Amino acid sequence: MTGAAACGTRDRANTFGWLAMPSAETPVLAATCSWFSGPTTVETDMAVQAQGKRWWTGGTCPSGSYSAEAVATHEAGHVFGLSHVEGAEHRMLTMTPSLASCDNGPATLGKGDYDGLIALYGGR
């Protein structure tokens, strides 16, 4: 992952963690990069913005903070192959492209998130 929240060169190591991404656009909370061999995912890197953001993980949310759980769940959705869902009717889904401060709702998968995973991997 680069400092601009872009995919760097594949290094054959899956990573997840905090990363200062000083060149990323202001609203970027995290980024995920995936590499494929045909239809098979062979590597993923996920980075949570460590610079200029306040994070919250439980209890009362400090004003202006973001839910680390909601962001990590969203990025994991990308690892599993889910894309962003656009539109006001999807704003409560984990895969919505933006997250308001102090909103931890997307930390829990909704029906649309499950439907997307079932479409990719099939039902039980």
Side-chain angles (χ1 to χ4, degrees):
M1 191 72 59
T2 71
C7 297
T9 304
R10 180 175 172 227
D11 62 6
R12 294 178 163 64
N14 295 303
T15 62
F16 174 72
W18 302 95
L19 177 68
M21 296 180 277
S23 301
E25 294 182 22
T26 302
V28 171
L29 298 175
T32 295
C33 295
S34 298
W35 290 267
F36 300 88
S37 177
T40 303
T41 305
V42 294
E43 181 182 331
T44 59
D45 293 339
M46 298 183 343
V48 177
Q49 177 64 286
Q51 182 173 324
K53 302 293 182 205
R54 293 177 55 190
W55 294 98
W56 153 66
T57 58
T60 302
C61 177
S63 180
S65 298
Y66 295 93
S67 168
E69 291 93 342
V71 171
T73 301
H74 173 94
E75 296 305 316
H78 288 308
V79 170
F80 292 123
L82 297 177
S83 298
H84 288 149
V85 292
E86 302 288 341
E89 70 275 17
H90 299 302
R91 66 180 171 74
M92 298 305 294
L93 294 178
T94 298
M95 296 313 296
T96 190
S98 62
L99 180 70
S101 64
C102 294
D103 181 3
N104 68 346
T108 302
L109 297 178
K111 182 178 181 332
D113 302 309
Y114 284 113
D115 289 347
L117 291 168
I118 289 167
L120 289 170
Y121 299 103
R124 292 184 185 190

